[in-house]
Amino acid sequence: MKAPVSEKKRHIINAAADLFQDRGYSATSMRALATKVGLEPSSIYSHINSKEDLLVEICMNCSELFTQGMQRILASEILADEKIKSLIRLHIQMAYQHPASVTVFNDEWTFLPDDTKIIFLSLRKNYENNFKRILIDGKTQDLFEFEDQDLVFSIIMNMLNWPYSATKKYKKSLVESELVTAILKILYKKPLIH
Amino acid sequence: MKAPVSEKKRHIINAAADLFQDRGYSATSMRALATKVGLEPSSIYSHINSKEDLLVEICMNCSELFTQGMQRILASEILADEKIKSLIRLHIQMAYQHPASVTVFNDEWTFLPDDTKIIFLSLRKNYENNFKRILIDGKTQDLFEFEDQDLVFSIIMNMLNWPYSATKKYKKSLVESELVTAILKILYKKPLIH
DNA sequence: CCTACCGATCGGTAGG
DNA sequence: CCTACCGATCGGTAGG
């Protein structure tokens, strides 16, 4: 389904992700992107169709990676707390492997063209529902306790949206272990030692 | 020090905060703002000097409110865990009382003009240092335990940056109590019951 | 507070 | 991949 992406196009998309992360989609000009990749502004259009296309590539690629990660975790036969740990690792892995893209994915998706935005939001909704389902499973399995599943989901999701600047400041392994500890402290029923 | 702000100017600033929150500073045009407040674009400049001025007013106002809140909490003679609770209440109070402005304050400050940005970042640095100091005090008072104070601060700060959309979805009192519980679970030394 | 308008910059195209 | 260029929109000003 996906068109193959040339090396040059990949390079342009990555440069765009860096700029979008730094200044936002709207404040980034195609001229600035051209300078960054060493081309004249018009030459970029030999590789992509529009500025929006760049955003679409960045956001949908992240969307797909998160969706694939979720599918893998859902398919594994482990208890809910281990699934949550895997989800934390997925988010931290994404944040550290694609720091610029993930930030754009989180902060700039509102600028997606309408048709893509509908797909994007539908994928996100699906992801959220799967996440919440795991939280509820953890309750059923007598591992977790919480009152409002939507609220506890929002709190955890907020913790997992690890900002670009923080990926530069802290080592991945440290962030991962601290977030696993913190989130499980929030979720676990009994006073720890698991 | 601060120039008095007329009612009309307040109205324009608030409208700008709504627009900046929704589409970002850069993607918001003065023409869109003019339409929102029912004026011709040029008429706005009878009340403000520039688009940047609007951002300055929004960000520095939030900055001041957070700084004042911090000063009040620092001056109170309570233990570190109660200070943290007060800080959580401060952030949630701000998020629910000025949802648009706080979002702009959090997300759009990079577009501040250089001279203001320097002041802004200095105030923020101060705030962060005070926050971390309270965390360390909690450790000294044998209330908290954590390894890396910068990292645990980042995690908590991330939890307190409550997004605009979430203020519309959950009741303030519910968010406040859940965040107090969650954050103290992360910080407290002994397995709860405090 | 409006009409009229300005220079700068934007995303993008034509043609080679 | 470049030169040359376009219409649209931007923040903001002049003058009343």
Side-chain angles (χ1 to χ4, degrees):
Chain A
M1 275 302 166
K2 291 255 300 261
V5 174
S6 73
E7 199 181 329
K8 186 87 190 181
K9 184 170 178 180
R10 257 272 82 77
H11 180 237
I12 292 172
I13 294 170
N14 289 339
D18 283 344
L19 292 174
F20 293 168
Q21 176 277 317
D22 191 38
R23 296 287 295 168
Y25 173 76
S26 176
T28 300
S29 70
M30 295 304 274
R31 282 156 177 85
L33 176 59
T35 302
K36 176 145 185 163
V37 297
L39 291 175
E40 292 302 314
S42 63
S43 303
I44 292 180
Y45 293 92
S46 301
H47 301 95
I48 58 144
N49 293 321
S50 65
K51 186 183 176 186
E52 274 183 342
D53 264 16
L54 291 165
L55 188 63
V56 169
E57 291 276 3
I58 294 164
C59 288
M60 295 319 268
N61 186 43
C62 282
S63 232
E64 199 174 304
L65 289 171
F66 273 113
T67 301
Q68 284 172 3
M70 177 62 88
Q71 292 309 321
R72 185 173 43 74
I73 290 163
L74 286 176
S76 64
E77 303 230 353
I78 50 180
L79 287 175
D81 58 341
E82 288 298 329
K83 285 185 179 168
I84 293 294
K85 283 188 205 172
S86 295
L87 282 169
I88 297 168
R89 279 186 229 108
L90 171 63
H91 278 258
I92 298 305
Q93 170 70 14
M94 287 290 291
Y96 276 80
Q97 196 169 8
H98 315 284
S101 293
V102 169
T103 302
V104 172
F105 164 82
N106 277 321
D107 298 346
E108 309 295 330
W109 62 265
T110 20
F111 296 104
L112 285 169
D114 285 346
D115 55 342
T116 310
K117 201 192 295 191
I118 290 170
I119 299 170
F120 178 88
L121 286 175
S122 151
L123 285 169
R124 193 177 75 167
K125 191 78 190 164
N126 236 287
Y127 187 88
E128 291 178 357
N129 286 340
N130 284 326
F131 205 122
K132 287 179 193 170
R133 166 55 52 197
I134 295 173
L135 289 174
I136 297 167
D137 288 347
K139 210 171 179 178
T140 310
Q141 291 162 9
D142 216 35
L143 293 166
F144 300 158
E145 67 178 351
F146 49 79
E147 282 172 43
D148 187 321
Q149 72 214 21
D150 287 334
L151 182 52
V152 80
F153 166 76
S154 291
I155 290 173
I156 291 170
M157 208 55 179
N158 221 12
M159 296 173 80
L160 293 180
N161 284 343
W162 204 242
Y164 180 86
S165 59
T167 64
K168 307 303 166 199
K169 196 171 168 189
Y170 306 108
K171 274 175 55 188
K172 183 190 166 198
S173 58
L174 182 62
V175 172
E176 192 174 288
S177 73
E178 284 296 313
L179 276 180
V180 166
T181 306
I183 291 171
L184 289 182
K185 274 187 186 170
I186 293 171
L187 288 172
Y188 270 141
K189 195 170 186 178
K190 298 295 170 197
L192 317 208
I193 311 158
H194 284 266
Chain B
M1 276 300 166
K2 292 253 300 264
V5 174
S6 72
E7 199 180 331
K8 187 89 191 185
K9 184 171 179 180
R10 257 273 81 76
H11 181 238
I12 292 172
I13 293 170
N14 289 339
D18 284 344
L19 292 174
F20 294 167
Q21 177 277 316
D22 191 39
R23 296 287 292 169
Y25 173 76
S26 176
T28 300
S29 70
M30 295 302 274
R31 282 158 177 83
L33 176 59
T35 302
K36 176 143 185 165
V37 296
L39 292 175
E40 292 302 314
S42 63
S43 303
I44 292 179
Y45 293 92
S46 302
H47 300 94
I48 57 144
N49 294 320
S50 65
K51 187 184 176 188
E52 275 183 341
D53 264 16
L54 292 164
L55 187 62
V56 169
E57 291 277 2
I58 294 163
C59 289
M60 295 317 270
N61 187 43
C62 282
S63 231
E64 198 173 306
L65 289 170
F66 273 112
T67 301
Q68 284 173 4
M70 176 62 87
Q71 293 307 322
R72 185 173 42 73
I73 291 163
L74 287 175
S76 65
E77 304 228 356
I78 50 180
L79 286 176
D81 59 340
E82 287 298 328
K83 284 186 181 169
I84 292 295
K85 281 188 207 172
S86 295
L87 282 169
I88 297 168
R89 279 186 228 109
L90 172 62
H91 277 258
I92 298 306
Q93 171 69 15
M94 287 291 291
Y96 277 80
Q97 196 169 6
H98 315 284
S101 292
V102 169
T103 302
V104 173
F105 163 83
N106 277 320
D107 297 345
E108 309 294 328
W109 62 267
T110 23
F111 297 103
L112 285 170
D114 285 346
D115 55 341
T116 310
K117 203 193 291 190
I118 290 170
I119 300 169
F120 178 88
L121 287 175
S122 150
L123 285 168
R124 193 178 75 169
K125 191 77 189 164
N126 236 290
Y127 187 88
E128 290 178 358
N129 287 340
N130 285 325
F131 204 122
K132 286 178 193 170
R133 165 58 48 197
I134 295 173
L135 290 175
I136 296 166
D137 288 347
K139 212 172 178 179
T140 309
Q141 291 163 9
D142 216 36
L143 292 166
F144 300 158
E145 67 179 351
F146 49 79
E147 282 173 42
D148 187 321
Q149 73 213 22
D150 287 335
L151 181 52
V152 80
F153 166 75
S154 290
I155 290 173
I156 289 170
M157 208 55 180
N158 220 13
M159 295 173 80
L160 293 180
N161 283 345
W162 205 242
Y164 180 87
S165 60
T167 65
K168 307 302 165 201
K169 195 171 169 191
Y170 307 108
K171 273 173 56 187
K172 183 191 164 197
S173 57
L174 182 61
V175 172
E176 191 174 289
S177 72
E178 285 297 314
L179 276 180
V180 166
T181 306
I183 290 171
L184 290 182
K185 273 186 187 170
I186 293 171
L187 289 172
Y188 270 140
K189 194 169 186 178
K190 298 293 171 197
L192 316 208
I193 310 160
H194 284 266

